[in-house]
């Protein structure tokens, strides 16, 4: 599937509200991560607003440990910086650890912006 200048490739992960695909930015040739909001959820008016809020939240976050927002499409796609490696679940499972309070604060901050 192609989304303007983004070519969607394999699915990397999926959750209750979205799927994440590896994609290719055909303008630059660089890989990207593409978060695709579930279409049923996107059809609900409040979810479209929450999606825009999430996209705007990324604009205020600038930290080496937070992926950068490259672009977003109101059709329900966030185009994010792609980082090769393990996902958070694999990291937690490998370390046999729990998220500490700083992780929770960061997660809460992202969704409250």
């Amino acid at each position: 599937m192609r989304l303007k200048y983004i070519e969607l490739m394999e699915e990397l992960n999926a959750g209750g509200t979205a799927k994440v695909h590896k994609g290719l930015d055909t303008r630059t040739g660089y890989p990207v991560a593409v978060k695709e909001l579930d279409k049923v959820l996107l059809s609900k008016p409040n979810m479209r607003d929450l999606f825009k809020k999430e996209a705007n939240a990324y604009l205020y976050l600038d930290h080496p440990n937070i992926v950068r927002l490259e672009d977003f499409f109101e059709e329900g796609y966030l185009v994010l910086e792609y980082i090769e490696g393990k996902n958070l679940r694999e990291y937690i499972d490998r370390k046999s650890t729990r998220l500490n309070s700083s992780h929770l604060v960061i997660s809460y901050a992202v969704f409250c912006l």
Side-chain angles (χ1 to χ4, degrees):
M1 177 180 171
R2 188 168 237 154
L3 183 67
K4 295 187 182 177
Y5 58 88
I6 301 296
E7 183 178 334
L8 293 182
M9 295 157 54
E10 74 264 21
E11 184 178 306
L12 299 174
N13 214 331
T17 61
K19 295 177 186 177
V20 177
H21 300 268
K22 184 174 183 180
L24 179 69
D25 184 326
T26 58
R27 300 170 305 170
T28 64
Y30 285 104
V32 292
V34 181
K35 182 176 179 181
E36 176 186 7
L37 189 64
D38 181 90
K39 298 302 178 208
V40 173
L41 290 176
L42 192 61
S43 68
K44 298 179 181 184
N46 62 329
M47 286 306 292
R48 193 172 288 274
D49 291 339
L50 285 173
F51 173 74
K52 288 179 186 177
K53 201 176 220 185
E54 180 181 355
N56 284 324
Y58 275 103
L59 299 175
Y60 293 99
L61 299 172
D62 182 23
H63 190 276
N65 294 333
I66 299 174
V67 295
R68 190 175 59 253
L69 177 70
E70 301 288 341
D71 204 349
F72 83 98
F73 300 94
E74 289 193 31
E75 297 90 351
Y77 297 90
L78 292 177
V79 180
L80 303 160
E81 172 185 19
Y82 177 78
I83 299 173
E84 188 73 42
K86 296 189 181 319
N87 66 36
L88 182 59
R89 171 56 46 210
E90 291 169 330
Y91 177 79
I92 291 169
D93 290 346
R94 194 181 101 235
K95 293 289 187 179
S96 297
T97 186
R98 296 177 187 243
L99 293 176
N100 64 36
S101 60
S102 64
H103 295 110
L104 297 176
V105 169
I106 292 168
S107 298
Y108 182 75
V110 168
F111 290 105
C112 290
L113 286 177

